[in-house]
Amino acid sequence: NFSLWDTYRAKQPLMTLIQEERAAHFVNSMLDICDQQGRLPVWHLWGNETNCMVGDPAIPVVAGAIVKGIKGVDRERAFEAIKRTAATPERGKQLRHQYGYIPCNLMNEAVAYDMEYALADGAAAEAAKALGRGEDQEHFTRMSHSYRTYFDKQSGFIRGVDDKGDFRTPFNPYFASHRNNDYCEGNAWQYTWLVPHDMEGYVAMFGGKERCIARLDSLFLAPSALEGDPSPDMSGMIGQYVHGNEPSHHILYLYALLGQPHKTAQWVREVMATQYRDEMDGLSGNEDMGQMSAWYILSALGLYEVEPASGRYWLGSPIIDHAVLEVEGGTFTIEVINNSDKHPYIKSVSLNGEPYTLPYITHEEIAKGGVLTIEMCDSLE
C-alpha cells in the first residue's frame, strides 16, 4: 500500500533517514509499477491503482531518492519514470499543458490538482539539478510556477481561476465542500501555503517578506470555523491551520524559511504538546499509514524536510535530549542541551564540535555520521 498523498511529506523522508534500505525497496516498487501501468503510482491499495487523491505524489519520493543518492536505486531509470509520469495527459495534466494551469470551471478540485502537480514539478527540478540535466531542470522549474496563476494579490489567497483567466466568484476562504470544490480536503486558507518549493518566488508575489509573514500569521488567528460541507479529515485546528490533515503539515516550518525560526519553534512545540497523546485517540487526525506519526518523530528530532526532495532538513525545536540514527556513515547523534518546555528556542548549533550556522542540515551531512549538538534557550536573544 502506498498512501502517497499523505506520506510523501514526512513518512517517506523519515524512511530515507532511518531505514534507507527499505526506502530503496519502496522506490524500486514504484518504478516497477511505472513500467507496468505507464506512470508512477498515485495511491496503490494491495498493489492496485485507486487514483485516490490529487497530484503526482510519487514524484517527490522518487526525486528525493535521486537527490539523496539512496543506494540500490537506479537514478537514471528513476528520473525517466518521473518524466514519463509528469507528461501523461490525464487527471487534469492535459488541461494544465494546454492552459498552463487547470481552469476551475473545467475540472473539480482544480486548484488542489494543479498545486500538487506544481509541487511535484519542483521536486523533479531538484532531481534534474542533482543529475546535471539543465534543460529538464529549467522545464520543471517553469512548470512548478503554474500555481502563480491562482494567487490573488488583492485578497492574499490562492483562488480558482477559470479558462478565461477570471477568479471564481463569489469567494469565501472558509468554505469547504468535501471532494466537490476547487480544493481537496481543505479550503483557501490551507492551500494558500502549499508552495514550499518556491517560497522565494511566493514572497515576491506578496510584495515582500513582511506581507507574506503577516498573511501567514493570520492563518493561526482566523476563526476555526468551516462553512459548507467540509471533509471530516479537517481536524486538529489552530485557527485555520489543520494539523489533522496533510496539506498543512509543512506550514509551521515556513517561518524558518522566512527567517523567523522562533515562530516555527513556538507552533511546533504547541502542536506536539497538544495534538499527540499516547492513548487510543492520541492523534488529531487520520494516521494515514504513518504520516501523522512521522511528522511527530521528525519534529521531535528538530528536523523537517520542508521543500520536497531538497535533501534539506530545516531546524525546528527538538524535544528529545539524545537520539542516535543509524546511517550510511555509521551513526548520527543529536544531542540537545538545556532542553525543557521553558527552553523552546535554538541558541546555538555545532556539528562535530564546530559552529554550525545554517538554518538547515543536509541529508548528505547526516548520512556521513557525526554529532549534531543543539543548545536551547528561553528567549530570542
Side-chain angles (χ1 to χ4, degrees):
N1 295 344
F2 287 125
S3 181
L4 286 163
W5 184 79
D6 310 292
T7 61
Y8 84 76
R9 306 167 199 266
K11 167 71 176 296
Q12 296 291 345
L14 177 63
M15 291 298 101
T16 65
L17 281 179
I18 65 174
Q19 293 193 34
E20 182 178 347
E21 184 177 354
R22 261 186 109 186
H25 290 320
F26 291 154
V27 171
N28 286 329
S29 290
M30 295 176 199
L31 299 184
D32 289 344
I33 289 168
C34 182
D35 289 343
Q36 294 181 34
Q37 71 176 24
R39 54 178 164 84
L40 290 167
V42 176
W43 208 121
H44 260 233
L45 178 66
W46 286 19
N48 293 278
E49 183 62 83
T50 68
N51 285 314
C52 181
M53 310 311 290
V54 301
D56 275 330
I59 287 181
V61 179
V62 176
I66 293 173
V67 171
K68 297 169 185 177
I70 299 300
K71 286 187 174 181
V73 174
D74 184 330
R75 298 170 86 202
E76 294 296 332
R77 179 191 179 206
F79 190 71
E80 288 307 311
I82 289 173
K83 292 181 66 175
R84 184 179 184 183
T85 302
T88 53
E90 57 186 359
R91 303 181 73 244
K93 279 178 281 189
Q94 71 279 15
L95 295 171
R96 192 165 177 256
H97 296 154
Q98 178 181 352
Y99 291 92
Y101 64 99
I102 301 178
C104 65
N105 60 320
L106 301 184
M107 184 175 175
N108 189 38
E109 299 181 318
V111 172
Y113 268 97
D114 190 278
M115 293 192 76
E116 289 283 4
Y117 286 141
L119 184 150
D121 286 331
E126 294 276 9
K129 180 181 178 181
L131 293 172
R133 295 193 176 200
E135 290 186 9
D136 288 322
Q137 181 185 352
E138 182 179 339
H139 164 74
F140 282 116
T141 299
R142 183 174 64 254
M143 291 296 294
S144 76
H145 296 161
S146 65
Y147 78 87
R148 295 180 181 182
T149 300
Y150 301 119
F151 183 71
D152 176 16
K153 292 184 178 180
Q154 184 173 352
S155 68
F157 282 107
I158 290 287
R159 298 174 54 182
V161 175
D162 65 21
D163 60 345
K164 305 297 184 184
D166 297 323
F167 287 112
R168 180 188 291 279
T169 55
F171 171 67
N172 179 357
Y174 294 90
F175 179 80
S177 181
H178 185 45
R179 309 313 297 265
N180 190 35
N181 66 345
D182 293 339
Y183 312 98
C184 176
E185 297 186 1
N187 60 27
W189 278 105
Q190 296 92 50
Y191 276 85
T192 291
W193 300 106
L194 194 62
V195 289
H197 60 289
D198 186 37
M199 283 308 295
E200 184 176 342
Y202 205 37
V203 166
M205 294 185 69
F206 268 101
K209 190 174 291 187
E210 290 185 4
R211 291 184 180 181
C212 186
I213 291 172
R215 166 53 81 198
L216 183 53
D217 288 341
S218 71
L219 175 72
F220 303 95
L221 300 173
S224 295
L226 295 173
E227 300 179 22
D229 180 27
S231 166
D233 292 292
M234 296 180 68
S235 57
M237 298 184 71
I238 303 175
Q240 283 291 313
Y241 172 79
V242 180
H243 191 73
N245 212 22
E246 282 68 25
S248 287
H249 276 190
H250 66 286
I251 294 177
L252 305 184
Y253 288 90
L254 293 180
Y255 282 116
L257 275 68
L258 294 169
Q260 292 196 343
H262 63 283
K263 291 184 180 178
T264 289
Q266 291 165 356
W267 284 119
V268 165
R269 288 269 180 147
E270 171 75 12
V271 169
M272 285 192 287
T274 63
Q275 301 210 25
Y276 289 86
R277 303 186 312 279
D278 57 343
E279 299 174 12
M280 288 294 289
D281 60 347
L283 298 176
S284 61
N286 190 333
E287 167 71 324
D288 285 315
M289 296 183 66
Q291 170 60 25
M292 289 289 289
S293 296
W295 185 95
Y296 184 90
I297 293 168
L298 285 169
S299 296
L301 294 172
L303 308 171
Y304 200 83
E305 187 179 33
V306 189
E307 313 137 293
S310 65
R312 291 182 288 268
Y313 300 88
W314 289 76
L315 301 177
S317 182
I319 60 171
I320 52 94
D321 296 322
H322 176 85
V324 180
L325 308 182
E326 294 183 4
V327 297
E328 182 182 341
T331 59
F332 184 79
T333 302
I334 302 173
E335 296 280 3
V336 184
I337 301 170
N338 201 27
N339 189 27
S340 74
D341 293 342
K342 297 181 179 180
H343 298 93
Y345 307 114
I346 293 177
K347 179 180 180 180
S348 65
V349 180
S350 65
L351 180 61
N352 298 324
E354 298 293 330
Y356 190 86
T357 58
L358 292 175
Y360 57 81
I361 185 168
T362 66
H363 184 89
E364 182 181 11
E365 288 287 355
I366 294 174
K368 290 178 184 176
V371 179
L372 183 72
T373 304
I374 302 174
E375 184 178 0
M376 308 298 288
C377 64
D378 62 354
S379 69
L380 302 179
E381 297 180 2

